[in-house]
Amino acid sequence: MATSAIAHPLPPVNGYIHTLSIFRKETKYEFLKLMRTKSFSLSTIGFPVMFYVLFGIANRNAYAGNVHIAKYMLGGYACFGLIGATLFGIGVGLASERAAGWLELKRASPMPVSAYLFAKCASAVAFGVIIVSILIAVGTSFGGVSLSGVELVKMLGMTIVGSISFASMGLLLALLVPANAAPAIINLIYLPMSFLSGLWMPLRLMPHWLHSIAPALPTYHLSQLMLSIFGYGDSMSLATHWNALLGFTLLMLGLSWLIFHRKEQNA
């Protein structure tokens, strides 16, 4: 005797949860890809930590007035590390994928374009947090640096803010520079900006003529916001630094949008 199959309707797929799942998976695999790319992960994490050990820990007993040099340089190298992770993770990574045609394949898939960009930004933020966390551990363990719980939370929060801000610059560079030249061009921008902003050593120890250049650089404003957590900021108001960083971010995003749409129209 034949039996009829009973069809049970499948529960409707929750579009919101499905979209979140796409964002989560894309971010997970982007982070794993960067972590397994040793040329990126080892250098991005290793360089700021190595420099801080060489120059920050070596000055663990040095003070300039009330400023603990090792603690001051912790803030500077935290900015140096998170900016590097963002510029190379997004700038170089996105430029390479654009040249290889991977970006066109992603756009042709059902995945939202926003998930792709979110994954890039979130992975850069994650690397920034990892770098700053390692620097904090090194500074507090070997550099004689003491951090309160509030300072620790503010440092990690500023790391997220700084990573998101410089992600906009990484996006613009990825749209402008050719893939094979991206690492060199980013280094030519990233390293001088870091030096001139006082990320490697206190600005007061550098030639006086550099003091007038630093406020024109977004890296300087990020570093001053980070250093203000310790009470080591300059005489400018925090609102000035916040406005400068926000203006820089909006400028980078605006230019990226214009360039992207121009490329779309010319395609």
Side-chain angles (χ1 to χ4, degrees):
M1 176 173 141
T3 58
S4 59
I6 300 177
H8 296 280
L10 294 174
V13 178
N14 189 317
Y16 179 71
I17 295 178
H18 180 64
T19 301
L20 286 180
S21 176
I22 294 174
F23 276 68
R24 180 183 60 81
K25 288 181 179 179
E26 185 69 15
T27 302
K28 172 186 174 182
Y29 294 125
E30 175 67 21
F31 178 79
L32 290 176
K33 182 194 74 175
L34 291 177
M35 185 62 74
R36 291 170 179 172
T37 306
K38 301 305 180 184
S39 59
F40 171 82
S41 58
L42 292 181
S43 60
T44 302
I45 296 174
F47 276 118
V49 174
M50 178 185 68
F51 287 149
Y52 182 65
V53 169
L54 291 175
F55 302 111
I57 302 302
N59 290 285
R60 60 184 176 274
N61 297 320
Y63 285 82
N66 295 325
V67 176
H68 185 198
I69 299 300
K71 190 171 185 178
Y72 185 103
M73 296 181 77
L74 173 62
Y77 279 107
C79 294
F80 177 69
L82 72 90
I83 293 170
T86 303
L87 293 185
F88 285 97
I90 296 178
V92 176
L94 185 54
S96 299
E97 292 176 5
R98 179 172 60 86
W102 186 246
L103 185 56
E104 284 73 15
L105 179 62
K106 287 278 190 178
R107 292 177 60 194
S109 70
M111 183 191 73
V113 175
S114 55
Y116 177 77
L117 296 176
F118 176 84
K120 292 284 185 186
C121 184
S123 298
V125 170
F127 269 89
V129 171
I130 291 172
I131 292 167
V132 174
S133 299
I134 294 174
L135 288 171
I136 291 172
V138 172
T140 54
S141 300
F142 306 104
V145 175
S146 60
L147 293 175
S148 66
V150 174
E151 289 176 331
L152 178 61
V153 172
K154 285 184 176 180
M155 278 194 74
L156 295 177
M158 188 56 62
T159 300
I160 296 174
V161 171
S163 298
I164 294 173
S165 177
F166 279 86
S168 63
M169 185 178 183
L171 176 61
L172 178 62
L173 291 173
L175 294 173
L176 287 176
V177 301
N180 57 351
I185 293 175
I186 288 177
N187 270 321
L188 287 174
I189 298 172
Y190 164 55
L191 296 180
M193 285 177 63
S194 299
F195 173 74
L196 294 173
S197 301
L199 302 188
W200 296 351
M201 64 179 69
L203 200 60
R204 68 186 68 183
L205 303 179
M206 299 170 66
H208 185 72
W209 62 272
L210 291 177
H211 298 186
S212 60
I213 298 177
L217 302 172
T219 42
Y220 174 78
H221 295 286
L222 175 61
S223 68
Q224 292 305 312
L225 289 171
M226 184 72 79
L227 291 171
S228 68
I229 297 172
F230 312 141
Y232 293 165
D234 61 6
S235 57
M236 291 186 188
S237 66
L238 291 180
T240 300
H241 295 305
W242 279 113
N243 289 334
L245 195 63
L246 177 61
F248 162 76
T249 305
L250 294 177
L251 176 63
M252 295 294 104
L253 290 175
L255 291 174
S256 299
W257 182 84
L258 288 174
I259 293 171
F260 179 78
H261 279 274
R262 180 171 294 181
K263 288 180 180 290
E264 287 289 293
Q265 293 174 357
N266 296 334

